[in-house]
Amino acid sequence: ALKDSLLQLQNDGVKVVIATGRMHHGAVPLIQELGLNTPAVSYQGGMVRNWKENDDILYSKRMSAEQAKKVIDYFRSQNVHINAYSQDKLFVEQDDELIKEYVTNRYVQYHVLDNLEQLDLSKLNKLLCIEPNPQKMEKVVKELSEMFKGELFVVKSMHHYCEVTHPDATKGKAIEFLCKYWGIDISETMAI
């Protein structure tokens, strides 16, 4: 019923957009399954990218290499599992149960590196840590939020995930971008 409603809206000329924290290529199968043809908003809003006619990136916001290194160092100091997302691939240093569980049902594979700093840190779309202990997760979110206040967007997306992105990498900013791109006033939008 939801799929039919979304398709009806699309057929009536409404732009129906999926905005997700997932990677771009993890979002596209869902968009295809729903029968939508709009660009994907991925990485919490850090990227808006076409997928149908071409692969053009329309909007991209990434943290600096220096910021990424500081976040990675902090995550390591807390001994939490780290996911790094770069050029639409997922990289980890630890091939453990946490990552195996994370990729289940996400249409995504992961690559294991000895050291995440082998990556070009200026090309990271997002850093995420996984920590099953709720008290420890609260501490991580609180400390990171204080360390990067006004510099980076830190959010606990699920009870055991903490995501770190550029401050303009939010779903709201991505939707604002698409409104300008399509010439739609923000007052004409609705989020579900």
Side-chain angles (χ1 to χ4, degrees):
L2 171 66
K3 182 177 174 180
D4 294 339
S5 301
L6 295 177
L7 285 175
Q8 185 60 59
L9 286 168
Q10 184 169 264
N11 291 340
D12 290 345
V14 173
K15 303 279 190 191
V16 180
V17 175
I18 298 296
T20 178
R22 291 185 180 200
M23 301 167 66
H24 172 76
H25 84 256
V28 169
L30 176 63
I31 296 167
Q32 289 173 315
E33 196 180 308
L34 290 169
L36 304 176
N37 53 29
T38 46
V41 174
S42 53
Y43 300 109
Q44 287 307 0
M47 182 186 285
V48 178
R49 187 173 188 176
N50 287 335
W51 61 273
K52 206 163 184 186
E53 301 82 22
N54 57 51
D55 258 346
D56 293 355
I57 295 172
L58 307 177
Y59 176 88
S60 176
K61 294 289 179 184
R62 297 188 294 239
M63 67 188 93
S64 71
E66 294 74 25
Q67 289 170 324
K69 177 160 178 13
K70 279 188 203 164
V71 174
I72 290 168
D73 287 345
Y74 173 78
F75 280 158
R76 282 186 185 138
S77 77
Q78 299 304 306
N79 196 28
V80 293
H81 176 94
I82 311 168
N83 282 5
Y85 302 80
S86 178
Q87 296 174 297
D88 222 32
K89 291 188 175 74
L90 169 54
F91 297 92
V92 297
E93 292 175 339
Q94 295 156 288
D95 191 3
D96 54 20
E97 285 311 307
L98 293 173
I99 188 61
K100 288 179 173 66
E101 185 188 320
Y102 177 85
V103 296
T104 306
N105 302 324
R106 275 193 166 80
Y107 309 103
V108 70
Q109 295 175 314
Y110 63 94
H111 309 271
V112 183
L113 297 177
D114 293 334
N115 186 331
L116 291 174
E117 287 162 53
Q118 291 168 245
L119 297 169
D120 178 348
L121 296 182
S122 69
K123 290 196 164 73
L124 291 193
N125 297 99
K126 180 171 81 169
L127 284 163
L128 175 146
C129 87
I130 307 175
E131 174 47 59
N133 179 314
Q135 287 79 23
K136 190 169 172 186
M137 178 51 87
E138 287 302 326
K139 173 183 185 276
V140 165
V141 172
K142 186 173 182 288
E143 289 181 355
L144 263 185
S145 298
E146 285 166 7
M147 278 169 69
F148 293 101
K149 195 175 178 144
E151 270 191 76
L152 292 175
F153 184 61
V154 178
V155 66
K156 187 169 86 168
S157 57
M158 286 177 70
H159 66 92
H160 55 309
Y161 298 157
C162 172
E163 306 197 18
V164 184
T165 53
H166 184 283
D168 290 338
T170 65
K171 293 171 187 172
K173 293 278 186 195
I175 297 304
E176 281 176 19
F177 165 80
L178 281 172
C179 283
K180 288 192 184 106
Y181 183 74
W182 286 321
I184 297 168
D185 193 87
I186 197 80
S187 66
E188 300 285 301
T189 64
M190 181 171 76
I192 303 168

